[in-house]
Amino acid sequence: MNKPVKSRAREKVDLLIVNADELVTLSSETKKPRVGKQMRELGIIRNGCLAIKDGVIVAVGKTPEVTKIYRAEIILSANGKTVLPGFVDPHTHLIFAGSREDEFQMRVEGASYMEILSAGGGILKTVRETRKASVEKLADLGIKTLDTMLEHGTTSVEAKSGYGLTTKDEIKILEAARRVNQLHCINVVSTFLGAHAIPPEFKDNPNGYVNLILEDMIPKIAEKELAEFCDVFCERGVFNLEQTRRILVAGKNYGLKPKVHADEMSMLGGAELAADVGAVSADHLLFSSVEGMKAMAEKGVVAVLLPAAAFSLMMGRYADARLMIDSGVPVALATDFNPNCLVENMQLVIAFACHFMRLTSAEAITAATINAAHAICRANEVGSLEVGKKADAVILDAPNHKFLGYHFGVNLVDKVIKNGRVVVDREKQGEMVLIRETE
Ligand code: NIG
Ligand code: FE
């Protein structure tokens, strides 16, 4: 068959995604995270089209206009579907061994998270199991988790250490994260969280452990370039404000950007501290003060909210996301994937954000994509569908973006495109056969 003359003149790209009912671009003039009403502006193109070459987006627009200029051998129809940027999950504890289902049963029956931790369980149980595991074993487990995340539309994640609590074991975990980043198509950004709990060896000398972090762990991890961020679990009975500040300042001196687990279970002033030390993000924030939120807004600290973690705490309390958005704090969402909150699925996190924190679907999508990319300093390359960015996209089997949050408990992903390649394709995963009794 002869091709029409016009098509020969068109520039060839690797992949075209055409006819999307909604193409959610999240494009923006500014390079800043979205705040206030901007969180509702998704930059939707109807009958949208993406042109992709060498793993990068080369054109975004209406289908007839983009296909006038570009042609491709692989053309995916997104007719009846919604195309979004791949989800960015900016807070996970990806690398660990073992599980904690028995403690889950204890929590269902009324034990609190902090009671379990104080009795040597919780994080400390996972530390015991992770210390026994090899880099290879940890990497294998991490890859399995990333596969599930990818199937649910996540294309970039942050991964924290924090289940080693010795220099050797923290390095081992960060080496596993590095390996996983090399082996898996999902991009993994690493955070050093040596200050996740006081290890049993330092039970009676917590400041001795803080000194080990300052004098041994941070210099070695920075030297090996194993992490980009430094985080602290700032909480009553774990690391206090002064210890948190010392660790974050020391990390900063070695080039590690600060992040904080702040005000998760009590109002300690973690949000204020995050603003004061110039943290990239403060995470959890269930008990943050109004002053703390204002300070974060002023300094542009991203609030990474983790409604699945709040759900798993079973306290019936969630971060006050509405007040944060109204105060001008940039809000992001993450899974907080960890052995206490075993969830890989950002779609469920979006549903929780809508139901428990009253975010609209549009706000939650912004929080799970471009603002999440800002929370890990990757907004220059991911988080929106714009020319020049990585071609990381999700095609959802949903006619519009409002189905995210609304249709929950199922995986809406039809296809995932990572670096311009189709890496998840539901059509190729085999038809489900429904067997029904016949009369
Ligand atoms: O973000 N709160 C501290 N750290 C994790 C939980 C880690 C764990 O329980 O293993 C969190 O919720
Ligand atoms: Fe966490």
Side-chain angles (χ1 to χ4, degrees):
M1 243 183 28
N2 284 335
K3 281 189 184 165
V5 178
K6 210 169 72 182
S7 80
R8 261 187 247 132
R10 291 182 296 167
E11 191 181 322
K12 187 157 180 238
V13 293
D14 300 327
L15 175 68
L16 280 168
I17 302 173
V18 300
N19 296 126
D21 276 26
E22 285 191 356
L23 181 77
V24 176
T25 66
L26 270 312
S27 68
S28 160
E29 302 286 286
T30 83
K31 300 266 172 278
K32 293 205 174 122
R34 297 190 172 216
V35 292
K37 295 232 160 22
Q38 297 164 349
M39 289 190 66
R40 294 176 186 234
E41 293 161 16
L42 296 183
I44 292 171
I45 302 174
R46 288 181 216 287
N47 194 13
C49 179
L50 268 188
I52 295 164
K53 194 172 181 191
D54 298 328
V56 173
I57 299 170
V58 292
V60 187
K62 291 229 175 246
T63 300
E65 286 156 22
V66 176
T67 53
K68 233 184 258 165
I69 306 169
Y70 296 99
R71 68 191 166 94
E73 250 150 57
I74 306 175
I75 300 178
L76 299 178
S77 167
N79 187 16
K81 303 196 169 113
T82 300
V83 180
L84 301 169
F87 297 121
V88 177
D89 188 346
H91 180 141
T92 86
H93 302 253
L94 177 69
I95 305 289
F96 61 84
S99 60
R100 307 221 296 261
E101 65 281 17
D102 291 339
E103 292 180 1
F104 170 62
Q105 308 308 318
M106 287 161 68
R107 289 191 298 110
V108 167
E109 295 195 280
S112 81
Y113 179 88
M114 289 311 275
E115 279 162 13
I116 294 171
L117 179 60
S118 310
I123 295 172
L124 296 175
K125 175 174 191 283
T126 305
V127 167
R128 288 191 288 278
E129 290 174 281
T130 305
R131 282 181 179 176
K132 286 188 230 145
S134 64
V135 179
E136 293 74 22
K137 169 82 183 159
L138 292 172
D140 282 352
L141 292 167
I143 284 172
K144 201 165 163 249
T145 301
L146 288 183
D147 284 345
T148 309
M149 289 179 166
L150 189 70
E151 277 167 28
H152 290 86
T154 297
T155 47
S156 300
V157 308
E158 182 256 19
K160 300 175 196 296
S161 67
Y163 295 113
L165 313 185
T166 65
T167 305
K168 169 174 94 36
D169 289 301
E170 286 296 304
I171 288 175
K172 175 180 76 180
I173 292 167
L174 291 168
E175 279 173 348
R178 176 182 278 178
R179 201 188 198 97
V180 159
N181 181 44
Q182 287 159 352
L183 295 175
H184 202 281
C185 71
I186 291 187
N187 295 98
V188 180
V189 175
S190 293
T191 296
F192 166 59
L193 177 61
H196 197 193
I198 308 289
E201 310 82 56
F202 286 91
K203 199 166 180 275
D204 302 317
N205 178 20
N207 278 325
Y209 184 58
V210 173
N211 290 338
L212 181 75
I213 293 176
L214 301 185
E215 289 157 19
D216 198 43
M217 293 189 186
I218 290 178
K220 288 192 175 139
I221 283 158
E223 213 237 302
K224 291 175 183 285
E225 295 181 12
L226 278 169
E228 180 170 334
F229 298 96
C230 178
D231 194 346
V232 178
F233 185 15
C234 179
E235 186 61 57
R236 206 158 271 152
V238 194
F239 294 90
N240 64 28
L241 282 177
E242 194 217 317
Q243 293 165 331
T244 304
R245 183 187 294 273
R246 285 177 67 205
I247 294 165
L248 294 180
V249 169
K252 239 174 135 173
N253 290 338
Y254 277 90
L256 301 175
K257 294 172 243 175
K259 281 179 167 280
V260 202
H261 279 67
D263 305 323
E264 183 182 0
M265 288 166 231
S266 55
M267 192 196 280
L268 211 63
E272 288 88 335
L273 177 72
D276 208 44
V277 299
V280 174
S281 75
D283 305 29
H284 288 289
L285 307 172
L286 270 66
F287 288 86
S288 294
S289 68
V290 175
E291 294 72 38
M293 292 180 204
K294 283 197 185 128
M296 284 177 61
E298 264 163 39
K299 293 283 176 68
V301 180
V302 180
V304 177
L305 304 185
L306 309 158
F311 180 81
S312 76
L313 283 178
M314 295 181 237
M315 294 194 302
R317 183 173 180 130
Y318 292 83
D320 195 343
R322 287 259 54 92
L323 186 57
M324 289 181 203
I325 292 175
D326 293 344
S327 314
V329 181
V331 168
L333 287 169
T335 56
D336 196 15
F337 175 83
N338 73 66
N340 190 62
C341 174
L342 209 56
V343 60
E344 296 90 344
N345 181 356
M346 285 291 281
Q347 297 167 62
L348 189 64
V349 171
I350 288 172
F352 284 177
C354 297
H355 287 84
F356 299 130
M357 303 195 300
R358 302 297 174 114
L359 263 63
T360 63
S361 295
E363 288 171 329
I365 290 167
T366 300
T369 55
I370 189 67
N371 279 7
H374 278 286
I376 55 168
C377 301
R378 289 294 184 283
N380 55 335
E381 55 188 52
V382 296
S384 64
L385 299 177
E386 293 179 274
V387 171
K389 283 208 177 180
K390 268 186 202 286
D392 291 0
V394 182
I395 305 180
L396 294 185
D397 192 2
N400 63 63
H401 72 277
K402 291 177 193 151
F403 272 68
L404 271 174
Y406 166 61
H407 191 178
F408 64 95
V410 291
N411 186 6
L412 294 173
V413 163
D414 174 56
K415 290 182 180 57
V416 179
I417 291 95
K418 175 67 196 166
N419 292 325
R421 280 180 42 231
V422 181
V423 288
V424 174
D425 189 345
R426 185 171 298 172
E427 277 165 43
K428 294 206 177 133
Q429 280 170 358
E431 297 286 312
M432 261 239 294
V433 183
L434 282 180
I435 302 166
R436 290 200 183 88
E437 295 286 338
T438 47
E439 285 147 60

